[in-house]
Amino acid sequence: MEKIIHFNTFYGNDAEEKKLNILDALEAVFGVSTVAKQIYEDPENEEDGFDLYLKYENLDFVDYDFLKTIAVDNEIYIMVYNLEMQTTFGYWYDEDDEWVDNELTEEILAPIQKVFE
């Protein structure tokens, strides 16, 4: 099942190292993503931070406990977009200790699809 995992937002001097460590951990659990995109919040100023989007064409199972650990350990937000089920799950490490689920509306999906164009 097609899914997109979105990490929001990498900041600071160790941002690149965190990103690489997360990519290694994800590859060990989920395999290699079909497409990976790094999008800067302000392309004119790369120090403002960046988001990481990973698209998986055939990811049947998502280990949400594993992703939660990544979020807490790296102090980063995570959203998982299930394109087939039209749902989104989000975890904010600094808020309630729970995954929040919502319907994946066109309003949410359109900017995410633009990332992969």
Side-chain angles (χ1 to χ4, degrees), residues 29-59:
V29 173
F30 298 134
V32 177
S33 64
T34 310
V35 181
K37 296 282 186 165
Q38 180 172 315
I39 306 296
Y40 287 94
E41 293 214 346
D42 178 0
E44 301 293 319
N45 183 2
E46 292 182 359
E47 291 182 16
D48 272 359
F50 60 87
D51 287 8
L52 180 65
Y53 294 84
L54 303 168
K55 187 178 217 178
Y56 293 88
E57 296 294 331
N58 294 306
L59 185 60

Side-chain angles (χ1 to χ4, degrees), residues 3 9 29 34 40 45 49 51 56-57 60 73 78-79 91 96 102 104 107 116:
K3 294 182 180 60
T9 296
V29 173
T34 310
Y40 287 94
N45 183 2
D51 287 8
Y56 293 88
E57 296 294 331
D60 292 327
D73 289 351
I78 299 178
M79 280 68 68
Y91 186 83
D96 293 336
N102 288 302
L104 183 56
E107 183 178 320
F116 295 98

Side-chain angles (χ1 to χ4, degrees), residues 4 25 63 113:
I4 295 170
D63 186 340
Q113 288 179 319

Side-chain angles (χ1 to χ4, degrees), residues 9-18 46-50:
T9 296
F10 292 86
Y11 289 107
N13 295 333
D14 63 345
E16 189 66 24
E17 182 180 345
K18 278 185 180 181
E46 292 182 359
E47 291 182 16
D48 272 359
F50 60 87

Side-chain angles (χ1 to χ4, degrees), residues 3-4 6 14 22-23 28 37 39 60 68-69 72 80 84 90 92 113:
K3 294 182 180 60
I4 295 170
H6 172 198
D14 63 345
I22 288 171
L23 287 171
K37 296 282 186 165
I39 306 296
D60 292 327
K68 176 181 156 183
T69 299
V72 171
V80 177
E84 291 181 37
W92 292 263
Q113 288 179 319

Side-chain angles (χ1 to χ4, degrees), residues 2 4 80-89 101-110 112-113:
E2 189 175 16
I4 295 170
V80 177
Y81 306 100
N82 185 326
L83 303 181
E84 291 181 37
M85 301 296 292
Q86 294 296 301
T87 57
T88 180
F89 291 89
D101 63 319
N102 288 302
E103 180 183 350
L104 183 56
T105 64
E106 185 59 33
E107 183 178 320
I108 295 169
L109 185 58
I112 293 177
Q113 288 179 319

